[in-house]
Amino acid sequence: MLKLISSSGIQSRFHRLTSTSVPALRPTIESTSPLLKVLSSLRRLSLSNPNFGGRVFFCSDSSDGSDQVVDAHVKAAESSADEADSSAASAIVPTSPRPEDYLTVLALPLPHRPLFPGFYMPIYVKDPKVLAALQESRKRQAPYAGAFLLKDEPEADPCVSSGSETEKNVYDLKGKELFNRLHEVGTLAQISSIAGDQVILIGHRRLRITEMVSEDPLTVKVDHLKDKPYDKDDDIIKATSFEVISTLRDVLKTSSLWRDHFQTYTKHIGDFTLPRLADFGAAISGANKLQCQQVLEELDVYKRLKLTLELVKKEMEITKIQETIAKAIEEKISGEQRRYLLNEQLKAIKKELGLETDDKTALTGKFRERIEPKREKCPPHVLQVIDEELTKLQLLEASSSEFSVTRNYLDWLTALPWGEYSDENFDVIGAQKILDEDHYGLSDVKERILEFIAVGKLRGTSQGKIICLSGPPGVGKTSIGRSIARALNRKFFRFSVGGLADVAEIKGHRRTYIGAMPGKMVQCLKNVGTANPLVLIDEIDKLGRGHAGDPASALLELLDPEQNANFLDHYLDVPIDLSKVLFVCTANVVEMIPNPLLDRMEVVAIAGYITDEKMHIARDYLEKTTREACGIKPEQVEVTDAALLALIENYCREAGVRNLQKHIEKIYRKIALQLVRQGVIIEPAVASVQDTEQMSETSIDVDKEQEELQAGHSECPANQSIDVEDKNSSEEDKERGSTMTISKVLVDKSNLADYVGKPVFHAERIYDQTPIGVVMGLAWTAMGGSTLYIETTLVEEGEGKGALHLTGQLGDVMKESAQIAHTVARAILVKKQLENSFFTNAKLHLHVPAGATPKDGPSAGCTMITSLLSLAMKKPVRKDLAMTGEVTLTGKILPIGGVKEKTIAARRSEVKTIVFPSANRRDFDELAPNVKEGLDVHFVDDYMQIFDLAFGEEQS
């Protein structure tokens, strides 16, 4: 880069010089623009004005790339005749003596570029002797030296050598070695200033080295070179110069750097001469140093112009390439900046409007990316709806309410598992193993599930079914559903409909409502991610009914195998195929389920567990789980079978095992506290034994240890049975020689009350010997089966006072059964004992104990008749007899429900003889053998059969 050497002194001198020598030119230069001045200067190129005064000093790039501005202290001008001939075109004010008088000069090497006349260059002089010689010359009024370009090393590549290495080599060169490396043609340079080791040189004229004078510092003899004569009117020279000017003009239009050089050059120098034009073009071009040196050595003006023209043309091509690159980069940068600014403005606007997260393009891309993997499996009508909604989303404003509705709708539509099914397990043996691991008993349920798997294996695909598990609380209906899902390798989803009163929870809301959401079934499919999960609908018998419709009716479409292949949710409004979904419903009371809904289900009854089944469940499942949850090891606790049996009979008599689990957890919590307290008490005793061992350094006898441990055992509470054993008592510990102790808590029937309190239930058999007028009946409740007594007594007896009074919080059905029983009993009594007028003259009171419990149901008729006849005939019934069944006015026995529950209740009360209606024989035959074992069951269809059974044998 070239810069004008400016200083206030030089500028003032230049102004004075130009104002005095060329007064007519000043208004023209000052009144025109810099560009017009340059063009006009180039256009007026002529050799007729060689005496135009004033030159400005330029320099090429220094070795370190820095631009230096030099303050040139020019001495007073001395005019002479020779000056006009030799340096008429020079603006350098000569010193005395004249430059052409210097025939011996110091040789200064230039590592990068040659110095052209009229330009300046800063160089660094590291040699102290050379620097001292330059300073001495400047003091002696002879501030001149020779600047010569340094040749490249023969083995070095000039294209790859770095500037720092070149400078280092220059500093090392001295004497004859340096002389041999210098080009012969150089420039006479005026020493403008010296600042430290930096010397500013100003080029004057060309020199040629003739011989070396001295080596340190290097001094050489030189000849001053002049340009060869040329014809200024030669057409070839003119054409070449005009082409140089034209090329410079083109470069001037594109390069601002060159434009600055032209402006400053023409302002202070004026018109160009042909030699000056050639030097100027070569000096400011970007050519390499050898090409510039070739121009410097050329004394033929025409050839110099040709060389300069080549350099300028090349510079023009480089400028065009530079302009293309700059334009491309500028377009790229401006485009990115524009996009960045627009995006920032868009973000700011969205932030002000609260829409910074609503990018429609991003949303559309997300929805398309989500549905793309499912596109082949997705039904065509669903794909059509999704595409329509995506198009609609692009047209909507992000601020509109319809936009959020459409976005949420697409979110649900694309999130559903269209056509995606999990791989099912059709291995019957594996499923049987899983079901047996999770549940004991429940053969009916397990058999039904295995049938479902077997059908699926034969068909190769499974169809959804609706299975309803009915039974009392705590029998494991919900956990059975989870086990079925594990056995089938299906995803599991549970939702409870107990107390559900809004149809929208099942069928979904309309999309136009605020906060609208799909129904539970659509939410299930989204959560599980498959279209064939196992859905457990819990508490289906407790559906509510409110102002928002009837949920039980809304479930019809969901649970109908003929309709759920095209289930229509109000929110999605597109049919969904639920035919592969396995629905498992749970209910406590089947009668509470609406008949249209019940008709679509396959009911599997879970009656509850007998004592034997509860023992297995408690021992194999509940105790193990509870022990692990409490952090107790198996060797620390032993709960006997007698304790578990007492717990089941006296505390947990209901059909389920949830209450049994609570009591077992209660026992283990107390044991955990007991073990912790016991550890605090026993640890010092163990420590004292160890101290005694260390002091005596002898082994302690096993019997002595047992005595000490028994002493520690005596400190435990009296109501706790604790077995403290030494590990040495076992064979393994004898081998190890261990002396540690283990405390084992024993829970037996004797101390069970210390853990769970007093028994809640007592024996249901109130009477060892059944009194007259008392008969045991069998009842079914939501908690399972139970036995209850029906008692009848005489209030008063008199002529025509026959009446019946009922108590025991009986329902309408049982009140009607009592009236029917009263009528039938009178008819039977007349038939058996014609002379007995008991019912005619007796006022009777019939009572069912546990009066605080509501009782109702059509199965107490035969029991009431037997109670009334026992009182009328003054005969007690058999003590081991229990009966159930409804009676018509003609004495026929009607079937009842809950055969298994009533059988279990009879066994619990140690009843051996049971009377069932004949129509219930099939139900009894389906019971497990362990339930029927040891029972004498009679199936009757007429009450006279019961009469013979109850009163036919003499009771002791």
Side-chain angles (χ1 to χ4, degrees), residues 170 408 465 568 594 657 672 681 720 752 758 791 839 881 934:
V170 171
N408 293 336
K465 293 292 181 181
L568 191 65
V657 293
I681 296 172
Q720 298 174 358
L752 182 63
K758 295 181 179 180
E791 304 174 342
F839 290 112
L881 176 67

Side-chain angles (χ1 to χ4, degrees), residues 76-146:
E78 296 180 1
S79 58
S80 65
D82 294 335
E83 180 184 359
D85 296 331
S86 62
S87 60
S90 175
I92 303 174
V93 179
T95 58
S96 180
R98 293 174 299 179
E100 57 269 20
D101 296 335
Y102 289 89
L103 300 177
T104 302
V105 293
L106 282 173
L108 301 178
L110 302 179
H112 302 292
R113 292 175 65 86
L115 177 62
F116 284 89
F119 290 83
Y120 82 89
M121 177 184 292
I123 64 171
Y124 292 89
V125 179
K126 300 295 184 181
D127 192 346
K129 293 183 178 180
V130 176
L131 194 59
L134 292 174
Q135 292 175 347
E136 184 66 24
S137 299
R138 200 161 179 268
K139 290 178 181 178
R140 292 202 315 263
Q141 300 288 324
Y144 288 98

Side-chain angles (χ1 to χ4, degrees), residues 298-572:
E298 186 59 56
L299 299 180
D300 190 333
V301 176
Y302 169 67
K303 292 182 179 180
R304 191 190 299 172
L305 282 172
K306 284 182 65 178
L307 293 173
T308 301
L309 180 60
E310 292 178 6
L311 300 182
V312 176
K313 285 287 185 182
K314 187 180 293 185
E315 191 72 17
M316 183 64 194
E317 294 300 325
I318 294 174
T319 304
K320 288 182 180 179
I321 296 173
Q322 178 185 356
E323 184 180 6
T324 305
I325 295 173
K327 186 176 181 181
I329 294 175
E330 183 178 1
E331 288 177 355
K332 182 178 179 181
I333 294 176
S334 62
E336 291 178 354
Q337 287 180 341
R338 177 179 174 82
R339 180 177 178 81
Y340 175 79
L341 291 175
L342 290 176
N343 282 331
E344 290 299 316
Q345 291 176 358
L346 182 62
K347 288 180 182 178
I349 294 171
K350 285 184 176 181
K351 187 174 182 181
E352 288 293 325
L353 298 177
L355 304 173
E356 62 272 17
T357 59
D358 291 333
D359 189 349
K360 290 191 288 188
T361 305
L363 280 175
T364 305
K366 182 184 76 171
F367 293 142
R368 291 190 186 278
E369 182 181 354
R370 188 186 291 177
I371 198 62
E372 196 61 36
K374 314 172 190 175
R375 186 169 288 274
E376 295 181 359
K377 302 177 183 178
C378 190
H381 62 275
V382 177
L383 285 177
Q384 181 181 356
V385 172
I386 291 175
D387 292 338
E388 290 175 356
E389 292 296 323
L390 285 172
T391 305
K392 178 181 176 183
L393 186 70
Q394 290 293 329
L395 300 176
L396 290 172
E397 288 294 333
S399 58
S400 65
S401 59
E402 186 71 15
F403 181 85
S404 60
V405 172
T406 306
R407 180 187 60 189
N408 293 336
Y409 181 52
L410 281 169
D411 193 13
W412 280 101
L413 270 181
T414 55
L416 291 182
W418 300 105
E420 295 184 5
Y421 302 99
S422 60
D423 296 332
E424 284 196 88
N425 172 32
F426 293 122
D427 183 10
V428 176
I429 298 175
Q432 175 80 52
K433 184 178 179 182
I434 291 175
L435 293 174
D436 290 339
E437 284 178 1
D438 293 346
H439 296 277
Y440 179 83
L442 303 178
S443 58
D444 296 345
V445 183
K446 294 177 181 178
E447 192 71 18
R448 178 64 190 88
I449 298 306
L450 295 177
E451 292 170 3
F452 178 83
I453 296 174
V455 172
K457 185 172 184 178
L458 292 177
R459 292 189 55 187
T461 180
S462 62
Q463 295 294 323
K465 293 292 181 181
I466 295 89
I467 300 174
C468 180
L469 303 177
S470 67
V475 295
K477 298 184 297 296
T478 303
S479 59
I480 287 172
R482 189 175 283 105
S483 296
I484 293 172
R486 192 162 74 93
L488 295 175
N489 193 30
R490 290 195 179 203
K491 298 287 186 178
F492 178 77
F493 184 84
R494 172 190 173 272
F495 68 92
S496 177
V497 295
L500 188 68
D502 191 356
V503 175
E505 290 290 329
I506 298 169
K507 296 276 288 181
H509 304 86
R510 296 291 179 187
R511 292 200 302 275
T512 54
Y513 298 154
I514 297 176
M517 287 188 66
K520 287 288 186 183
M521 198 58 229
V522 177
Q523 297 178 36
C524 159
L525 294 179
K526 180 182 178 182
N527 289 340
V528 299
T530 60
N532 62 337
L534 186 144
V535 179
L536 181 69
I537 304 177
D538 223 349
E539 311 293 350
I540 199 170
D541 60 328
K542 299 177 181 60
L543 277 169
R545 183 167 185 174
H547 66 281
D550 184 11
S553 301
L555 280 174
L556 292 177
E557 182 185 1
L558 181 64
L559 298 182
D560 191 345
E562 301 297 328
Q563 299 182 43
N564 60 13
N566 295 298
F567 176 72
L568 191 65
D569 186 88
H570 289 161
Y571 184 88
L572 292 185

Side-chain angles (χ1 to χ4, degrees), residues 33 282 345 777 794:
S33 65
Q345 291 176 358
L794 176 65

Side-chain angles (χ1 to χ4, degrees), residues 20-34:
T20 56
S21 60
V22 191
L25 185 62
R26 184 175 180 182
T28 304
I29 294 175
E30 293 179 352
S31 62
T32 57
S33 65

Side-chain angles (χ1 to χ4, degrees), residues 683-698 700 708 739-741:
E683 281 178 0
V686 175
S688 63
V689 172
Q690 293 175 352
D691 293 340
T692 305
E693 290 179 353
Q694 293 176 359
M695 292 175 61
S696 61
E697 296 183 355
T698 58
I700 299 177
E708 292 177 358
T739 58
M740 294 183 64
T741 60

